[in-house]
Amino acid sequence: MERETQFIGQSAAFQDAVERASLAASLDRPVLVIGERGTGKELIAERLHRLSTRWDRPYVIMNCAAMPETLIESELFGHEAGAFTGATRTRAGRFEEADGGTLFLDELATMSMGAQERLLRAVEYGEVTRVGSSRPIRVDVRIVAATNEHLPALVDDNRFRADLLDRLSFEVITLPPLRAREGDIEVLATYFGQRMAAVLGWDEWPGFGPRALAAMEGHDWPGNVRELRNVIERAIYRWADPSKPVDALSFDPFASPWQPVTRKPAAKAEAPGAPATDAAPALAPPPGPVSDLRAAVDGYEKAILADTMARCRFNQKVAAEALGLSYDQIRHALKKHGLNQ
């Protein structure tokens, strides 16, 4: 599989998911791939196809979220000339294109209920009917679908068909988020870093410094491997001295003192006596006269940090966000007050 992003990881959670996909590949049954954005759902789907008996047949990808609801049925099942405005010629759908192979439906949860019903019939009976036609066409297609939604919850909310979920969930492979893949962050970061250093023509790979490694481990990685790759590649190309370990990361590329300010509508006046909804907690005044302002300010800052860390269960990243600080700033403040034990 010559891909720009390969399967890289040594954690048990990640290896279990890959092994499960390899086991399911040989069975000619539908598979659901579940995971947060950036966890590698498309790579797993391709693995399911490449390791199956259909490996030499078509592998067709359709992103359901990229299709307007009015066109998704035409994309899936095709249409006859004149079936709707703009349909000037007959067109085969993705099912026909994937005949004998695998059809990967990405962002499955975004599909409308009407399209879900027709998809169910296609999966159940192995037949599709082009829009504007009454003649069914036999197809032999294996379905692999992916989503970042919890589909049983969507069924409970009447946003996804229970019978379609039953039909597609012969096997469900749930990919672990990066924060749960113990030991994989540094492995992946090194891989992306070495590759970016080669692109930039560095003579050798200097590795990462302790600050960068600590920041990686402390970050929550909501964008998972995709976010990690962006962070690492951005850090490499911004690093000024290739002979020294890379020791500065920028998690938010939009962070800037000159970023545009979004104007919010003025808040409505509250009724007299009504409790404030988003007001900041009142600050307790000092117990007596202040003779040393610097010491008083430091003491109050330490108390705020200690209280916030306790409320955030000593997660530095969460506490930094709660206080409007960067990860480096809160680590410096905790060290200053002896709270980083």
Side-chain angles (χ1 to χ4, degrees):
M1 292 168 58
E2 290 299 321
R3 298 282 305 204
E4 190 174 3
T5 304
Q6 303 291 335
F7 283 113
I8 299 169
Q10 60 189 13
S11 66
F14 176 70
Q15 292 293 339
D16 285 348
V18 174
E19 184 177 349
R20 195 166 177 178
S22 302
L23 184 64
S26 61
L27 296 176
D28 203 14
R29 296 290 187 275
V31 177
L32 285 176
V33 185
I34 314 294
E36 297 179 7
R37 60 188 173 95
T39 49
K41 297 186 292 294
E42 188 170 340
L43 285 173
I44 288 290
E46 185 170 348
R47 185 178 186 85
L48 286 163
H49 174 70
R50 300 299 178 198
L51 297 182
S52 74
T53 56
R54 298 169 179 258
W55 64 271
D56 59 342
R57 305 295 296 165
Y59 175 62
V60 178
I61 301 173
M62 177 172 169
N63 187 335
C64 301
M67 293 291 161
E69 186 174 341
T70 53
L71 293 180
I72 194 167
E73 291 189 32
S74 172
E75 286 293 324
L76 275 174
F77 310 116
H79 61 256
E80 298 290 343
F84 51 85
T85 303
T88 57
R89 59 185 180 85
T90 298
R91 182 182 181 280
R94 303 295 176 90
F95 265 93
E96 291 180 70
E97 292 175 1
D99 190 24
T102 303
L103 175 60
F104 174 48
L105 299 176
D106 200 6
E107 303 289 352
L108 177 72
T110 63
M111 188 177 286
S112 69
M113 295 295 279
Q116 289 178 34
E117 182 177 2
R118 293 199 63 186
L119 175 60
L120 173 65
R121 291 189 60 83
V123 175
E124 189 76 33
Y125 301 110
E127 293 182 346
V128 296
T129 303
R130 293 175 180 170
V131 177
S133 172
S134 59
R135 181 176 63 86
I137 301 170
R138 295 288 302 176
V139 290
D140 173 24
V141 174
R142 183 192 192 182
I143 300 292
V144 176
T147 180
N148 57 10
E149 298 273 5
H150 184 53
L151 293 178
L154 298 189
V155 170
D156 293 340
D157 292 340
N158 295 316
R159 293 164 52 201
F160 199 86
R161 293 182 62 100
D163 45 6
L164 178 59
L165 180 59
D166 291 339
R167 191 65 182 83
L168 294 179
S169 58
F170 169 80
E171 177 63 291
V172 179
I173 300 170
T174 303
L175 300 180
L178 184 57
R179 59 185 173 275
R181 293 171 54 176
E182 186 176 355
D184 282 356
I185 292 175
E186 185 174 351
V187 172
L188 284 160
T190 299
Y191 170 76
F192 292 134
Q194 289 174 334
R195 196 171 64 169
M196 189 63 177
V199 169
L200 296 175
W202 289 11
D203 293 333
E204 59 182 18
W205 168 240
F208 293 103
R211 266 200 324 170
L213 290 172
M216 288 180 211
E217 295 298 336
H219 191 57
D220 200 38
W221 299 111
N224 293 288
V225 178
R226 187 181 297 119
E227 180 190 3
L228 174 66
R229 175 185 169 184
N230 283 337
V231 168
I232 297 304
E233 291 186 348
R234 184 164 55 243
I236 302 303
Y237 105 87
R238 288 180 178 179
W239 192 244
D241 189 351
S243 66
K244 295 181 179 179
V246 178
D247 210 19
L249 302 179
S250 172
F251 294 103
D252 184 5
F254 295 96
S256 169
W258 304 284
Q259 65 186 17
V261 177
T262 302
R263 301 293 180 185
K264 296 182 179 179
K268 296 181 180 178
E270 303 234 357
T277 54
D278 293 318
L283 303 180
V290 175
S291 57
D292 187 336
L293 178 61
R294 185 181 298 277
V297 170
D298 284 348
Y300 195 61
E301 182 179 88
K302 181 177 181 178
I304 292 174
L305 285 167
D307 177 68
T308 305
M309 286 295 291
R311 286 189 293 104
C312 296
R313 298 186 178 184
F314 301 96
N315 185 313
Q316 294 181 6
K317 177 182 178 296
V318 176
E321 291 177 352
L323 294 173
L325 301 176
S326 69
Y327 181 78
D328 286 340
Q329 286 172 331
I330 196 168
R331 284 183 62 84
H332 175 76
L334 292 171
K335 183 177 180 181
K336 170 185 173 184
H337 296 291
L339 297 174
N340 59 343
Q341 303 299 322

